[in-house]
Amino acid sequence: MKIFKWFLGLLVLAGLVLGFILWTLPADVAYRHFADKLGPVSLVGIRGTVWNGHADGISVFGRDLGELDWRVEKWPLLTQGIRADLRIRGADIDTSGLLERDYSGVMRANDVRFRVPASLFAGAVDVPSLKLLGQVSGTLTQVQLKDGLVAMANGHARWSDAGVSGAAEARFSDILAEFATRPDSSMAGTLADDGKGNLEVNGSFSASATGFQAEAFLSARNDDARVQEALRYIGEAQPDGSAHLVISGQLFKLL
């Protein structure tokens, strides 16, 4: 009986020690053991714990995004779940939101706010001499990932200080986008200008695991000469002086 009590006591002590180690596990130690499971994500300058920490640098597919801060709640782990607040801040990137993963492996993100340079989307336009100016900001109200694919998402975005430079340069009014998933899990949205500038935009777009497609009609409001000149290098010219822009491609080209 005494042997059994000693053995039980050792098990309790081992559990307490293991729990303490996990409770205070340094983030850099955990990263060394699990870095190979993060795929294209790489971290440097890690400090803090796995529950509350900071990385001086985070990169995805070799692209430097800035600094990463995280705070992970401990109690959801009791039901094999994860709940974490994340924030990435860089010179021209700022994004934050709440990430959750339940016991079944389904991941959800709520109220993800982002701000990125418009140049990040240059690969989609596929006009080598054209540079996109300004910032794109917005909110992903809800995102759900299942088996690595987007099962549900909705939100909105605004292209502020919008403009292009290259063979011609012009500044536009802000461009607005609204988007949401469809029953087949693909995403669809609309594009429009805010009506305050000299570029009129009417368009739509869709995206799925196989790629994205977008179509828009662009025209110069108030017969703005600089906008008309810029539209000569964008899309297909129309008889009324507008431009019909159609683009498609793979989402990974945006990374």
Side-chain angles (χ1 to χ4, degrees):
M1 182 64 69
K2 288 184 178 180
I3 294 178
F4 176 75
K5 289 182 178 179
W6 276 103
F7 182 69
L8 182 60
L10 288 173
L11 285 179
V12 172
L13 179 61
L16 290 174
V17 172
L18 179 60
F20 176 78
I21 292 173
L22 292 176
W23 212 257
T24 60
L25 183 64
D28 59 338
V29 174
Y31 180 72
R32 287 198 296 270
H33 285 84
F34 296 101
D36 60 336
K37 300 183 183 300
L38 296 179
V41 179
S42 178
L43 303 177
V44 296
I46 302 169
R47 55 183 181 272
T49 69
V50 293
W51 313 109
N52 196 338
H54 173 88
D56 292 334
I58 176 173
S59 62
V60 180
F61 291 104
R63 180 186 177 89
D64 181 30
L65 301 181
E67 300 180 350
L68 169 67
D69 290 286
W70 69 85
R71 183 175 62 82
V72 180
E73 296 182 14
K74 303 180 180 71
W75 303 116
L77 296 175
L78 297 176
T79 57
Q80 297 182 332
I82 296 175
R83 183 181 174 91
D85 274 311
L86 305 176
R87 184 172 187 182
I88 298 173
R89 289 175 293 178
D92 51 10
I93 291 177
D94 192 347
T95 181
S96 62
L98 178 65
L99 178 67
E100 297 178 288
R101 178 186 181 276
D102 63 24
Y103 69 92
S104 66
V106 174
M107 298 191 69
R108 298 179 179 86
N110 299 306
D111 295 325
V112 178
R113 303 178 187 278
F114 61 90
R115 176 182 57 82
V116 298
S119 58
L120 187 68
F121 301 93
V125 179
D126 199 24
V127 180
S129 61
L130 193 68
K131 295 181 180 180
L132 303 183
L133 309 175
Q135 297 280 330
V136 177
S137 60
T139 300
L140 296 172
T141 308
Q142 290 181 313
V143 180
Q144 180 175 303
L145 300 175
K146 189 172 183 180
D147 298 326
L149 300 176
V150 177
M152 184 272 290
N154 58 70
H156 57 85
R158 174 184 287 264
W159 181 8
S160 303
D161 298 322
V164 295
S165 66
E169 181 171 340
R171 288 286 183 174
F172 311 137
S173 51
D174 288 3
I175 309 299
L176 310 177
E178 299 278 347
F179 51 88
T181 45
R182 298 183 290 198
D184 62 358
S185 294
S186 64
M187 187 181 299
T190 59
L191 295 169
D193 66 284
D194 65 0
K196 298 178 181 179
N198 290 329
L199 176 69
E200 184 176 351
V201 178
N202 289 288
S204 62
F205 63 91
S206 62
S208 66
T210 58
F212 67 90
Q213 301 81 38
E215 178 181 28
F217 285 92
L218 315 174
S219 58
R221 187 179 282 122
N222 303 320
D223 295 323
D224 187 285
R226 297 186 69 180
V227 173
Q228 290 175 332
E229 178 65 16
L231 291 181
R232 292 178 53 198
Y233 304 94
I234 303 175
E236 182 179 350
Q238 302 297 295
D240 62 357
S242 65
H244 182 207
L245 177 64
V246 179
I247 59 175
S248 61
Q250 301 297 317
L251 292 177
F252 72 85
K253 289 186 178 181
L254 300 180
L255 300 173

